[in-house]
Amino acid sequence: MVRTRQVTPAAPRDDAQVDSLRRGLEVLRLFDLRHRKLTLADIARKLDLSRPTTEKLVQTLQSQHFLQATGNDSYEPHIACLTIGRAAKKGLAVAQAARPLMRELSERFGVHVTLSARDRLHMLVVEHCVPPGRVQLGLTSGARFPMAASASGRAYLWARPQEQRSELLDMIEGEVPSGASHQLTDIHAAFRELETTGCCYLAAPVATHTASIATPVKAGSAFALAAMAVSAEVTEPVMRSQIAPVLLAMAEHIALSSEEEN
């Protein structure tokens, strides 16, 4: 199964960006499910900023209710972040189209189902369905995981236009630790599998008895769909022969439905 690729709009030029706004957004990016609270020293160190600059950025974000103080010189996201996140999620036609189909697949096969999109060199969870009686895995909306080491990330990469895919691979290669070049080999192996079947399979992305299979929602899409088995009961042959065809059909249906809504 071979999918054609589409050209996506170019990113804004660097000279069109407001530096102070960019820095403020970089502060907000530091907070996630693993880093719910950060001190001024944490923020300054992570962004390589001076203490006075960090204080001004944090005070501005605090005055606009994007951050709130929690004591001991630490801060956490505040209500304005929640408002924006809810608005963004509600406006995603693809998420609305995917939600009932993801739930159906999750319940039918007892697998986790995730809709994710790129956030730099990570994939950001947009929607996640947990099968009844299974553990949560921490993949709630807003969670992030590495693009290069996930089936979803590899499916997303494969679906990108050639120029953008090459740029992302160069960025990934620049961040690969010494001795971990096999990761790039695995990514290209996933591309070959995607060219043939439309899906890529990844064993043990989270733990020994887990496995994922993923596909882009469509060629050039910003979204990827993945099903994850969390027990040895759902074997690789089941993932490939039974779950993969359903996942591909889901992706096609979601792509058509979201286009109709737009």
Side-chain angles (χ1 to χ4, degrees):
M1 175 180 178
V2 179
R3 301 183 185 183
T4 57
R5 297 177 176 82
Q6 301 171 350
V7 176
T8 55
R13 305 186 318 273
D14 287 343
D15 60 3
Q17 299 179 26
V18 179
D19 190 59
S20 58
L21 175 59
R22 180 186 59 78
R23 287 183 174 183
L25 294 173
E26 291 292 342
V27 171
L28 294 178
R29 277 183 175 274
L30 295 177
F31 295 89
D32 56 30
L33 294 177
R34 293 185 303 161
H35 306 92
R36 300 184 183 186
K37 296 181 180 181
L38 293 171
T39 66
L40 282 173
D42 292 331
I43 296 170
R45 185 182 70 258
K46 289 175 179 290
L47 297 181
D48 194 24
L49 298 173
S50 68
R51 175 86 181 200
T53 297
T54 304
E55 288 179 341
K56 289 180 182 179
L57 291 170
V58 168
Q59 287 171 7
T60 301
L61 292 167
Q62 187 178 5
S63 71
Q64 300 301 313
H65 305 293
F66 284 95
L67 292 179
Q68 66 176 352
T70 61
N72 298 322
D73 201 29
S74 65
Y75 296 83
E76 66 183 6
H78 200 21
I79 191 67
C81 296
L82 177 63
T83 302
I84 291 175
R86 287 174 63 88
K89 186 174 178 179
K90 189 172 183 180
L92 290 174
V94 66
Q96 297 177 35
R99 197 174 297 120
L101 298 175
M102 292 171 61
R103 189 179 302 114
E104 180 182 344
L105 176 61
S106 178
E107 294 175 353
R108 178 179 172 185
F109 291 99
V111 294
H112 291 255
V113 184
T114 302
L115 176 72
S116 59
R118 175 197 167 205
D119 180 20
R120 296 187 174 178
L121 293 183
H122 285 74
M123 298 301 290
L124 178 73
V125 176
V126 177
E127 289 283 349
H128 182 72
C129 289
V130 182
R134 300 292 184 179
V135 295
Q136 293 286 333
L137 295 180
L139 293 175
T140 56
S141 295
R144 296 190 304 170
F145 50 88
M147 179 189 298
S150 64
S152 292
R154 294 171 184 183
Y156 168 85
L157 278 168
W158 173 75
R160 306 317 299 156
Q162 183 62 48
E163 182 177 355
Q164 185 182 13
R165 186 171 73 177
S166 297
E167 291 176 358
L168 289 170
L169 288 172
D170 287 344
M171 293 168 64
I172 290 170
E173 186 173 12
E175 292 201 354
V176 170
S178 177
S181 59
H182 64 85
Q183 190 173 83
L184 292 172
T185 301
D186 292 343
I187 290 173
H188 287 288
F191 289 169
R192 292 192 293 272
E193 185 178 0
L194 283 153
E195 291 285 355
T196 303
T197 68
C199 289
C200 62
Y201 176 86
L202 179 62
V206 176
T208 303
H209 294 299
T210 64
S212 291
I213 196 161
T215 187
V217 168
K218 63 180 180 179
S221 173
F223 300 91
L225 272 171
M228 178 185 290
V230 294
S231 74
E233 298 171 4
V234 183
T235 63
E236 181 177 347
V238 170
M239 295 280 281
R240 291 185 180 278
S241 65
Q242 298 182 38
I243 296 177
V246 178
L247 199 66
L248 288 168
M250 273 180 56
E252 183 175 358
H253 182 86
I254 291 167
L256 291 173
S257 297
S258 58
E259 286 174 358
E260 289 172 3
E261 289 185 29
N262 290 331

